[in-house]
Each structure stands twice: as structure tokens, then as C-alpha cells.
Amino acid sequence: MAYSFPEEVLEHVFSFLSSDRDRNAVSLVCKSWYDIERWCRRRIFVGNCYAVSPEIVIRRFPELRAVEMKGKPHFADFNLVPEGWGAYAYPWIAAMEEAYPFLEEIKLKRMVVTDESLELISKSYKSFKVLVLTSCEGFTTDGLASIAANCRHLRELDLRESEVEDLSGHWLSHFPDSCTSLVSLNMSCLGSEVSFCALERLVARSPNLRTLRLNRAVPLERLANLIRRAPQLVELGTGAYSAEIRSDTFSNLADAFSACKQLKALSGFWDVVPSYLPAMYSVCSGITSLNLSYAAIPSSDLVKLISQCQNLQRLWVLDYIEDSGLDALAASCKDLQELRVFPSDPFGAEPNVSLTEQGLVSVSEGCPKLESVLYFCRQMSNAALIAIAKNRPNFIRFRLCIIDPQAPDYLTLEPLDAGFGAIVEKCKELRRLSMTGLLTDRVFKYIGSHAKKLEMLSIAFAGDSDLGLHHVLSGCDSLRKLEIRDCPFGDKALLANAAKLETMRSLWMSSCSVSFGACKLLAQKMPRLNVEVIDERGPPDSRPEGCSVERAYVYRTVASRQRLDMPDFVWTHDEDSSLRYS
Amino acid sequence: MASASDCISQTGPGLKERNYFGFSDCSSVDRSTVSSAHLESKNNMNMKATELRLGLPGSQSPERDSDFSLLNSVKLDEKPLFPLAPSKDRICTLSQKTVASGNKRGFDDTVDGFSESKTTNFSEGNWMFNATGSDPGQAKLAGNVISIRPSGTQLAIKSEVPAKTLQESTNKIIGTNTANAPAAKAQVVGWPPIRSFRKNSLVTTSKTNDEVDGKPGPGALFVKVSMDGAPYLRKVDLRMYSAYKELSSALEKMFSCFTIGQCGPQGAPTRKMLSESKLRDLLHGSEYVLTYEDKDGDWMLVGDVPWEMFIASCKKLKIMKGSDAIGLGSSSYQVLLHFKAKKSLMYPCFVWDLAVYQCFYKESFRPDYGSDVPECFVLMSDISFICLLAFSCVFLECLLRLRLYLLFILNLDFLVEAQ
């Protein structure tokens, strides 16, 4: 049977498929579908930049318009990955320069981006539109200047929490007067002052501006003028929210806010002076996302603000909110979907605010749509976790961090196995879980048997033996990312579940009991896995066999296992002599 | 049970060992094998001690190797107990001592420390160890070598102890700062899991809010360290150190791989041969200088200000070549230099100050004589340099004065500037 749809029809059908998974499935049907699909794929997402090489991507997808990529593992955020490990964006950008002249979007997360890369981006692509750098590092404001100056049709410049070497604020002035296409600008991670006139003019000539996130150096007095020029803003990040208490500043600000009828998200709020918060009350009823995680606002003012935001869906806040504030939140924001509570004084020995597990319990009771939680607290009990699980079985992301590692249930002094067990048992749709506290192998047994949809698991200072790891690797069917630190997991579980590792994106184990011999064996057994031993103490074979490696990072890859940019503290399998690690 | 004479004949040559306790055959054979094993391991240990490795400060050899850690710790602890100098036939010397003092426990413990597999032989038999507490010297060894129990548990404990020391040492390696913790708790790297971006914002937020409260700063303070010529930079946690010396030795260790690459033709062989002291000379012998960027963006030499002030103002570290660092310095010094350059001709005493300051205070300005030149020669050359400068100053002064005298006394008009 040679009947088939003409290519154009199939292409048209495929254009309705936006999800990568659907597209991947489609390309597996037959050879002709594979070919058609690869020619019409416009966006790709590479979850691990070392899982594939630029050449392979370019060969398969010749007509890309948008590339999204992630580099370092998640624990790099907490300084567990040494500097110089890798994740350089330049090779990708250099390779894509020739292959994709019409590239429009580049989104990178946890990669090292240099000024050369940014310059190359700005000069190579004629219709470049979107640049999003999340938690990236390695570039300076000069790189930003070249992006601003050369990208004529720039729509989004988003530097979320990147580490930028701030040489000056002049980069903003490099936006040409002809640039009117800006839709989103996020410079909240920068430190230095930009020219306010340039900023105001830029905002004024960008009628499509929807997102504007300022940095701390923009004072409150300037904010009113900026907002006034962009009443169509949907997301606003303020600068420093403090000024001398003056009625004219206040009224100015209040008027400016009231003109923004479409404002949905607010963030920023460094150095808050609470008396200026009421200036925002006019927009609060429409606000769905509120990020106060840099704002030291006492609980009473927070409550007043939050009770105005009836439609709040996402709240990021410091633990100054305290249990009383969370009670108020539960009472007034019934649409709440995501809550993140960050610690204001994580290194203090004693708690400085009265935030306990009770706050989370009341929020889980009061907010029926709550599905994502990140909660830092100092005490937790099994009873509370069981109550939370019962109240809110629709959790998708549950990340709990008790400041003291290995803290037991503070009421009974038992491990928190039962509590987390209840969470995984009741929350059937749980996709992401981070656990802390005193945990034994039992909790891993629960996870292995119940958490069938779990995709990402973060473990620290938990478990007793290899059995824990074995439960997780053998039981969690959907597991994609597993990151472990300081747990007594060793070789046996790792080697027994070697095949599982190929179905996952990556496995990170640091300060565990994995020996170098096991890493070698694993790399030999599984040719599609790259087992990186990251050890700053020197060559691993100089130490005896039983000694554990500092960190092991195992990920599946179709690229060469000896990546060219490996620093000298990383060891991987040497292809030439299968028994020797170079 | 072999007789005493048998035992003596089986021990190594040149030893006058008296075996008063009727140790069994196997024990003496083992003893010799143990001594050779000890020799071997000692040699290995020496090699390891000179081998360069990238280790965090505080990570001495015990952390690298559980077996060697027992060895080292036993060695270290035994010095006060057995003041005889450690020699090749260490065990025999010790046993002589034990024989003389009648303290059999010490000997057994030493041997147990070196050979795990031999414990079964020793533990069975006619001599019995007393309880743990009875020997005060025991307590010191017991922490590292728990060998008082009978064989079965002994092996079990053996395997536990390495794991524990390894766990402790891995904790040390990941930066538990027990010695220098300002807060009551020890800090663990990357805990609590908060992004550095957020941590830094918290610091400045809390500083502005509680100014009165003199609480010590939060956990880690990571700054980037770059080095001229190195392909990538590293990060160090300044709060892990309490003095400049610790920081510089940590950085030496961290960047040793780069300097070796420059001085040796091939990487691996020279690594082992280069001792730590030579490396230090390389780094300190005006080849590389440690500088930092402060809050105002100025590059300064590390070491001028008190340590606390340094960590409060340091944003970045850089190891630059000595030649690049000339002209760099503490701000006061730079001002002084500028001032002095202008006035030196008129005020010879400033030149003197400059010379003294240069030669004695700032090592980086000292001419590079290389590392195998004795200190006294360096000192002499400094002194001669100063004398030269002093003489030239005096000479210049005399010239100036001479001009005045000639004007007055000889009425030589041509020495006066034209009106």
C-alpha cells in the first residue's frame, strides 16, 4: 500500500503538535514521518547539553527557530558543582550560527555564557527575538550592550537570576532609538544603575512592553514615571521600594498604579518601606502572582496586602509571614496554586520568626487548588505531614526543607518516614519531591511503591543503606532526575539498577559511598551512559579501591563520552582502553 | 607455642629482641611481615605526602585514605607514648619498650593498627588484654584503633572505623568549619539549599534592617578566584579561613596544577617530584601575586588590611603575575608612590623612605633572585641598594647646596635663572 498523505498535509497536521513528547512519538512511526517531522520541527528542548552534540542536532533538525537548553545539574545552584565543570554555551552558539541563520529564540539555563557568545548571537541572526538566560554566568554588561545594539527585532531580554559581571549601566543606552519591539525586559539581577532617561525613553517607545522587571538600583521616586509610560504592563518588578515618607511621592505612585489596569504580576520590592505598600492596593484585586521573596515586610503589613489580593495564584514570600500570615492567606486567597516560603535567616542558630509547620497545614486546608509548595521551616512532625497529605492530595510539587539536616519529628523524635510516606501515597500526581529531615530506608520503600508519577527527587542526609536507593530506582517508573547528597548509598544499588539509569536524564550523587570501581564498571556495562567522576582530590585510582568518590554525575548521552571541555577534576570512561580511566 | 629461642631466630637480622611473652610462631612471622608491610606502607605514605593533590584546606593525608589514616593517626598519637625516634624497625623498637615496661597492650595495639588481617592471630592465645579503661595511654589509641575486643568484633569495628573517619573526613572536605564557625553550628557546603543569588540578597537585606545587631554574617561567602593563564576559575569560601596564611595555602593547593603545567615539560611525572616547599617558592618567589577586587572596584594586594575587613570588602580574587602587579597596591601606598615620584628630587629623604618601603615591606618589588639564593644575600643586596640610593640622595643634596654657595660666594651670575 503506497497511499500516503502528501507531505504538506502531514506537515500541516504536525504543526498542531506543540509538545516535544508528541513530536518525538510521531517521528517514531515510520521513516517518512520521521523525515517530515524533522524538517518541520521549529523548537527543541535539550534537557542536558551534554546528552547530545550540536552536530547531531543540526543534522537532524535543519530548520530550527527556537532552542532551549539546560546545562549544569540542579545542585550547581548550591555550589556543589565546582567552577569550570563545563556547560559552555559557546560551542553550541558557534555551531548554530552557520546552521540556523533564521534562529529567533535562545533560552539557556545554568550554562556558562561568555561575552563572545552574546556578541556572536547579536551579529549572526538577523531576526533574533528572544534571549532568556536563567541562572547563567560568565558574561558582563558588555555582552548585553552588544545584544541591545545589534538585535534589531529584540522582543525579550530576560536575565533571570544570572550572575552578570556588572561593569556599568551603559548597556541600556545601547538600545537604538529605532527599537520599538521590546515586549519583555528583566534586569533584576543587575546591580549597577542604568541611565534613567534612557530607561524611560525605552519604555515610552515600546508600546508592546508587557514585562518590565527593574533592578534594585532604580529608586522608588522613578518608578511612578516609568509605570505611567507603560500602562499596558502585565508584569512589573519594582526596584528598591523605599523612600522618605512623602505624600506627593505616595500619591504619584498610587496614581501610576491605578492606571495599570492589566497588571497581573508584581515582584522586586527590595528594601521595603511598608508605608508605601498601600500605593499598590488599587491593582491588588487583579494580581495573580506576587513575589515578595526579597522583601522584609512584617507579618501584619503582609496580611493587609495579601487580603487585598483575592485572585492570587502564586505567592513567593519570606518567612516573616509567620503562621498568622499564612492563616490569613488560607482564608483570603482561595485560588492559590503555588506557595514558596523562603527563610530570612537560614544560618541563625535560633528561629527568628514564629513560622512552623502549622502554617503549611492551614494553607493546605484552606486553599483547595494548592498544588506546588516550597517550604523552609525549622520543625516538622509526622502528624502535620499526614494532615497536609490528607487535605491536599492534588500536590504536583512538594519541596520541604527543614533547616537542620536530619531533624526528626519534633514531637515524637521519630524519623519523618511516615509523614513523607503519606505524602507520596495520597498525592498520586506528585511529580517533584524534595525531602529533608531524619529519614530511614522506610521512606524510600514508600516512595518506590507509591510514587509512580514522580519525575524528580532530591534527597539529602537521608537513608541507611543501599536498599533505599534500590527502592527508588526500581520502584519509581517515571523517574527522570535523581539528585542525592550525603547519603550512605553505595555501589550495589547503583550497579543493580544500571539499566534504569538509561531511562533517566541524570543522576547526581555527591558525598555518598560510591566507589571509583563501581563507576568504572557502570561505564563499561552501559555504553550510552556517561559516568563522570568529579573529584577535586586528584586521580581516583591513586586512592585505594574502597574509597568513595566525591561526586558522581551519571547521564545518558548519544554524544561522545569524552567531552572536549572536561576540566582536570573530572574523570570519565576512556573509549580507547576500556579498563583505563583517563 | 614456640619457645623463646625459636622466636628470636626468626626475627630479622641485627635485632636483639627478647621475646618474653611466648608469642606463637605465627605471631613472630607476622611480625616480620608486618614490619615489612609497615615499611612498604611508610614508603607509600611518604610518596603520598609529597604528591600534590587538589585538596581543600584542612584535608591532610588522613582523609585520602582510610587505611593510611589509621596509620598516620596511630603514628601521630604514639609519639608521646613512645618517645624513641621512629625507625625502620619500628615495631621491634616498640616491642622492646613494651617489654621493658611490661606493657604488652601497647605493642598489640600498634600491630593491630597496621594489619587488620593479622588480628585473628593475635587475639586468640594466651595473653589477654585488660579492659579498655585501665590503661590511660590506651584512650588515645582507642579512638583510632579499636582493637581491644576479641577478633570477631575486631574486624567489624575495623570496617566501621574507616567508614566513620571517611564520613567525617568527607564532611571536612565538603567544608564543615568546626574550628572557625562563628555561629554555634558547623556550616555544610550548600546547606540550606538556597541559591547564592538569594543568599546575597538576604545578607544585604538583613544588614539594612538590623544595623544594631552585631550578628555574625551568614554561612558561606564564595568569591571567584581567577589566575592568569588558567583555563577556568575556581570559587573559594572565604569564611572557611581565619587568616591570610590559610587562604594562601589553600589557593596554592588549588592552583598547583596550573603552575606545574608551566614549569614541567609533561604533566604527570613532574607532579610527583615537585615538593610542596618548592611549589610555595614558585608561588611566593615574586612569580605570582594574590590580589583582590574590593567593593569600590579597585584592585589591591592581599594582605594589607585586617582579615575581617578583607572578607567584608573582597568581591573577587585574582592571582596575577608579579610583573603585572607592579603599580598595584594598597591605595595609601599608591598615593604615596605618586607623591614620592614628584618630590624625590627635591626631598632626598623621601627617596630613602621609598627605598626602604620597597625593599622590606613589599616583597613583590624585590628583584627576583630565584629560590635557591640564600636570604642573607637578598638582604645584602637590599642594603646595598639602599646605600646606593642614600648616596645618590646625599650627592644630589650636595649639588643643590653647592649651587647656592657658588651663587653667594663666587657671585657667579650664570647660575642664576634668567629673569
Side-chain angles (χ1 to χ4, degrees):
Chain A
M1 287 258 276
Y3 300 129
S4 56
F5 283 127
E7 276 185 24
E8 295 80 17
V9 176
L10 277 172
E11 263 192 48
H12 185 70
V13 171
F14 293 164
S15 66
F16 293 102
L17 296 172
S18 51
S19 139
D20 281 329
R21 285 191 188 173
D22 292 340
R23 281 203 166 242
N24 292 342
V26 148
S27 60
L28 289 174
V29 168
C30 63
K31 273 216 173 121
S32 62
W33 279 38
Y34 175 90
D35 264 334
I36 297 169
E37 195 278 323
R38 70 180 255 263
W39 279 96
C40 69
R41 175 106 58 140
R42 298 282 176 262
R43 325 187 128 253
I44 54 158
F45 169 72
V46 179
N48 175 4
C49 63
Y50 289 122
V52 72
S53 72
E55 291 75 32
I56 296 175
V57 172
I58 292 171
R59 200 172 55 218
R60 179 166 172 190
F61 300 114
E63 300 266 330
L64 287 181
R65 297 272 184 275
V67 173
E68 188 177 343
M69 209 174 329
K70 293 191 181 175
K72 299 188 197 172
H74 173 233
F75 274 179
D77 286 346
F78 316 127
N79 291 311
L80 289 179
V81 178
E83 288 281 309
W85 173 79
Y88 300 107
Y90 189 78
W92 284 87
I93 294 173
M96 292 192 301
E97 183 209 358
E98 296 178 27
Y100 304 128
F102 300 111
L103 194 68
E104 290 175 4
E105 283 185 28
I106 293 181
K107 298 186 183 170
L108 304 174
K109 183 165 183 180
R110 278 191 218 107
M111 296 189 73
V112 178
V113 183
T114 53
D115 282 346
E116 285 80 28
S117 321
L118 290 177
E119 240 189 87
L120 199 54
I121 292 176
S122 67
K123 301 236 172 81
S124 318
Y125 308 115
K126 295 302 158 217
S127 48
F128 191 70
K129 297 200 171 73
V130 172
L131 181 65
V132 177
L133 301 174
T134 312
S135 307
C136 293
E137 57 176 357
F139 58 102
T140 75
T141 43
D142 289 346
L144 295 177
S146 52
I147 294 276
N150 300 325
C151 298
R152 301 280 174 78
H153 309 283
L154 192 67
R155 278 203 268 163
E156 271 186 52
L157 179 59
D158 197 338
L159 309 167
R160 286 177 218 172
E161 299 190 355
S162 295
E163 261 183 60
V164 186
E165 196 182 321
D166 221 327
L167 299 174
S168 80
H170 286 312
W171 65 276
L172 194 76
S173 323
H174 284 253
F175 276 108
D177 287 333
S178 55
C179 171
T180 57
S181 50
L182 209 57
V183 172
S184 164
L185 177 63
N186 178 354
M187 49 185 226
S188 52
C189 60
L190 298 175
S192 60
E193 234 178 55
V194 296
S195 149
F196 298 128
C197 305
L199 184 57
E200 280 175 19
R201 276 185 287 126
L202 178 64
V203 170
R205 65 173 184 268
S206 307
N208 299 321
L209 194 67
R210 295 276 173 274
T211 302
L212 178 65
R213 298 204 197 270
L214 304 166
N215 64 345
R216 196 174 187 162
V218 176
L220 193 59
E221 294 89 351
R222 294 277 180 175
L223 190 62
N225 285 343
L226 281 168
I227 302 177
R228 228 185 279 280
R229 283 166 218 268
Q232 75 283 7
L233 273 181
V234 174
E235 297 180 354
L236 171 68
T238 71
Y241 207 78
S242 68
E244 279 175 22
I245 318 269
R246 282 171 46 177
S247 58
D248 52 347
T249 324
F250 184 90
S251 49
N252 222 359
L253 196 57
D255 290 336
F257 267 116
S258 54
C260 297
K261 304 275 186 252
Q262 304 183 31
L263 209 52
K264 289 236 177 313
L266 283 173
S267 62
F269 298 107
W270 284 278
D271 313 321
V272 172
V273 167
S275 345
Y276 274 107
L277 286 175
M280 299 191 316
Y281 283 179
S282 50
V283 289
C284 280
S285 53
I287 293 287
T288 57
S289 163
L290 194 52
N291 181 352
L292 300 168
S293 55
Y294 300 109
I297 308 176
S299 177
S300 46
D301 296 300
L302 270 175
V303 167
K304 275 192 236 151
L305 178 61
I306 289 171
S307 46
Q308 309 261 338
C309 307
Q310 311 287 345
N311 291 320
L312 200 60
Q313 289 172 9
R314 199 160 80 131
L315 176 65
W316 292 20
V317 75
L318 284 174
D319 59 5
Y320 290 121
I321 193 170
E322 296 186 347
D323 287 340
S324 50
L326 289 173
D327 288 336
L329 178 68
S332 48
C333 305
K334 294 299 178 189
D335 275 343
L336 194 70
Q337 291 172 11
E338 179 178 332
L339 173 68
R340 293 198 192 188
V341 178
F342 295 99
S344 54
D345 184 19
F347 301 105
E350 295 303 316
N352 60 332
V353 290
S354 85
L355 178 88
T356 66
E357 80 281 9
Q358 196 46 48
L360 188 55
V361 173
S362 33
V363 175
S364 68
E365 260 181 60
C367 303
K369 298 199 188 158
L370 188 66
E371 58 183 24
S372 169
V373 157
L374 168 60
Y375 200 74
F376 281 82
C377 60
R378 287 185 187 259
Q379 64 189 39
M380 189 46 70
S381 66
N382 281 314
L385 282 171
I386 293 171
I388 292 168
K390 231 169 33 183
N391 291 336
R392 204 57 31 235
N394 47 329
F395 271 128
I396 293 182
R397 275 167 243 121
F398 189 80
R399 295 158 71 185
L400 179 69
C401 178
I402 308 174
I403 302 272
D404 184 17
Q406 299 193 309
D409 176 338
Y410 76 102
L411 294 170
T412 63
L413 294 182
E414 277 174 17
L416 290 169
D417 298 337
F420 280 107
I423 297 267
V424 290
E425 202 182 337
K426 298 269 167 40
C427 307
K428 306 247 181 278
E429 300 292 317
L430 196 66
R431 290 206 303 253
R432 182 167 179 182
L433 178 65
S434 301
M435 309 192 295
T436 49
L438 184 63
L439 298 163
T440 68
D441 283 346
R442 265 195 10 229
V443 72
F444 297 113
K445 192 150 150 239
Y446 295 144
I447 292 176
S449 46
H450 294 294
K452 294 302 176 190
K453 296 229 176 130
L454 193 66
E455 292 180 3
M456 182 165 173
L457 179 61
S458 311
I459 311 171
F461 303 101
D464 304 317
S465 71
D466 273 15
L467 208 51
L469 182 59
H470 177 70
H471 283 310
V472 171
L473 286 177
S474 54
C476 298
D477 299 329
S478 317
L479 197 62
R480 285 189 305 122
K481 287 184 275 186
L482 180 57
E483 40 188 29
I484 304 173
R485 63 163 296 184
D486 294 276
C487 297
F489 297 147
D491 306 340
K492 286 204 298 254
L494 200 61
L495 292 171
N497 293 290
K500 169 79 179 176
L501 296 177
E502 234 186 59
T503 67
M504 291 166 50
R505 183 190 294 174
S506 66
L507 165 67
W508 169 274
M509 290 180 75
S510 61
S511 308
C512 298
S513 318
V514 177
S515 71
F516 188 54
C519 295
K520 280 197 283 198
L521 199 54
L522 186 61
Q524 269 173 263
K525 259 173 83 171
M526 313 289 303
R528 290 264 177 86
L529 281 184
N530 195 359
V531 183
E532 284 194 15
V533 171
I534 303 169
D535 203 325
E536 286 179 288
R537 299 170 296 180
D541 23 19
S542 64
R543 282 183 290 282
E545 277 301 304
C547 189
S548 315
V549 299
E550 273 183 357
R551 309 167 187 93
Y553 185 43
V554 182
Y555 53 89
R556 63 180 174 190
T557 178
V558 294
S560 149
R561 295 208 278 179
Q562 291 263 314
R563 55 184 175 97
L564 298 169
D565 54 6
M566 238 165 41
D568 61 353
F569 50 81
V570 174
W571 283 268
T572 64
H573 182 82
D574 188 356
E575 307 286 3
D576 300 330
S577 72
S578 54
L579 286 172
R580 191 176 65 84
Y581 256 55
S582 65
Chain B
M1 285 293 287
S3 64
S5 52
D6 285 303
C7 292
I8 291 170
S9 59
Q10 279 166 18
T11 51
L15 291 171
K16 291 285 273 174
E17 189 177 355
R18 298 271 168 262
N19 193 342
Y20 294 120
F21 291 93
F23 295 158
S24 64
D25 280 359
C26 18
S27 69
S28 41
V29 166
D30 291 330
R31 203 190 301 147
S32 51
T33 50
V34 164
S35 60
S36 54
H38 170 56
L39 256 183
E40 216 174 18
S41 50
K42 196 156 180 274
N43 287 339
N44 286 344
M45 215 156 47
N46 287 336
M47 282 303 289
K48 296 260 179 269
T50 55
E51 182 191 334
L52 282 162
R53 58 214 182 267
L54 299 168
L56 291 173
S59 62
Q60 305 301 322
S61 39
E63 277 88 44
R64 283 187 294 122
D65 185 351
S66 55
D67 286 342
F68 288 146
S69 74
L70 294 172
L71 269 170
N72 287 343
S73 41
V74 168
K75 229 172 57 151
L76 289 166
D77 287 336
E78 274 169 355
K79 286 218 170 79
L81 294 177
F82 303 108
L84 290 174
S87 60
K88 282 198 178 175
D89 305 311
R90 180 112 173 255
I91 299 169
C92 305
T93 326
L94 286 169
S95 72
Q96 277 182 338
K97 186 85 176 141
T98 57
V99 159
S101 63
N103 186 355
K104 43 180 159 169
R105 208 171 301 109
F107 165 68
D108 290 326
D109 288 334
T110 323
V111 177
D112 287 341
F114 296 135
S115 60
E116 340 180 276
S117 51
K118 314 292 186 284
T119 51
T120 42
N121 297 323
F122 290 127
S123 58
E124 65 198 18
N126 307 332
W127 60 92
M128 281 309 294
F129 314 123
N130 291 343
T132 36
S134 56
D135 186 58
Q138 210 48 57
K140 229 172 173 192
L141 291 173
N144 301 309
V145 182
I146 303 168
S147 50
I148 323 296
R149 327 274 156 69
S151 59
T153 47
Q154 211 150 14
L155 283 171
I157 291 164
K158 258 303 161 289
S159 54
E160 259 175 53
V161 167
K164 235 199 289 175
T165 48
L166 203 61
Q167 189 64 10
E168 285 165 33
S169 46
T170 45
N171 278 342
K172 267 199 229 157
I173 288 174
I174 61 177
T176 311
N177 195 1
T178 42
N180 306 327
K185 277 197 202 142
Q187 306 285 354
V188 175
V189 166
W191 194 266
I194 305 176
R195 286 201 187 155
S196 41
F197 188 67
R198 202 168 281 284
K199 258 192 274 195
N200 294 340
S201 313
L202 280 179
V203 174
T204 36
T205 310
S206 63
K207 272 209 189 112
T208 50
N209 285 350
D210 353 277
E211 275 149 349
V212 183
D213 191 354
K215 252 198 261 181
L221 184 63
F222 280 93
V223 293
K224 292 191 180 174
V225 188
S226 59
M227 175 158 166
D228 283 345
Y232 48 86
L233 41 79
R234 313 300 292 271
K235 262 189 182 164
V236 284
D237 176 9
L238 287 181
R239 292 203 197 273
M240 274 181 38
Y241 318 113
S242 54
Y244 285 116
K245 208 161 172 316
E246 289 173 25
L247 175 64
S248 77
S249 56
L251 289 176
E252 274 167 43
K253 285 207 183 106
M254 226 184 261
F255 285 92
S256 57
C257 53
F258 301 132
T259 49
I260 288 168
Q262 288 179 2
C263 70
Q266 302 304 327
T270 44
R271 234 180 247 204
K272 287 213 162 71
M273 283 160 9
L274 207 64
S275 69
E276 290 239 2
S277 55
K278 261 200 134 183
L279 175 67
R280 206 173 298 125
D281 288 342
L282 198 66
L283 282 181
H284 278 174
S286 72
E287 180 71 35
Y288 290 97
V289 186
L290 187 59
T291 61
Y292 73 101
E293 183 181 8
D294 70 355
K295 284 203 161 26
D296 306 321
D298 300 322
W299 285 94
M300 325 265 264
L301 282 173
V302 165
D304 291 336
V305 299
W307 175 256
E308 294 303 326
M309 206 185 296
F310 167 67
I311 52 176
S313 62
C314 172
K315 268 175 36 188
K316 250 197 282 192
L317 285 168
K318 188 165 180 182
I319 303 177
M320 27 172 109
K321 288 210 167 57
S323 46
D324 295 337
I326 289 182
L328 210 65
S330 56
S331 46
S332 54
Y333 176 58
Q334 275 189 313
V335 165
L336 209 56
L337 195 58
H338 181 70
F339 175 74
K340 282 170 181 172
K342 280 201 155 166
K343 309 259 186 203
S344 56
L345 276 183
M346 302 297 277
Y347 300 101
C349 50
F350 285 109
V351 180
W352 168 267
D353 284 350
L354 175 63
V356 171
Y357 192 82
Q358 267 192 348
C359 292
F360 289 116
Y361 191 83
K362 285 283 175 242
E363 268 193 8
S364 52
F365 289 82
R366 179 177 287 158
D368 180 22
Y369 297 111
S371 54
D372 42 13
V373 166
E375 273 293 317
C376 55
F377 177 64
V378 174
L379 199 62
M380 272 171 53
S381 73
D382 288 339
I383 292 175
S384 54
F385 180 55
I386 291 170
C387 293
L388 180 65
L389 277 175
F391 277 127
S392 57
C393 302
V394 171
F395 181 60
L396 276 171
E397 265 222 53
C398 291
L399 266 185
L400 286 169
R401 300 219 183 277
L402 189 63
R403 176 174 176 264
L404 285 171
Y405 291 143
L406 286 175
L407 271 175
F408 271 113
I409 295 166
L410 300 179
N411 260 349
L412 290 174
D413 288 323
F414 67 87
L415 285 172
V416 176
E417 282 135 22
Q419 295 293 328

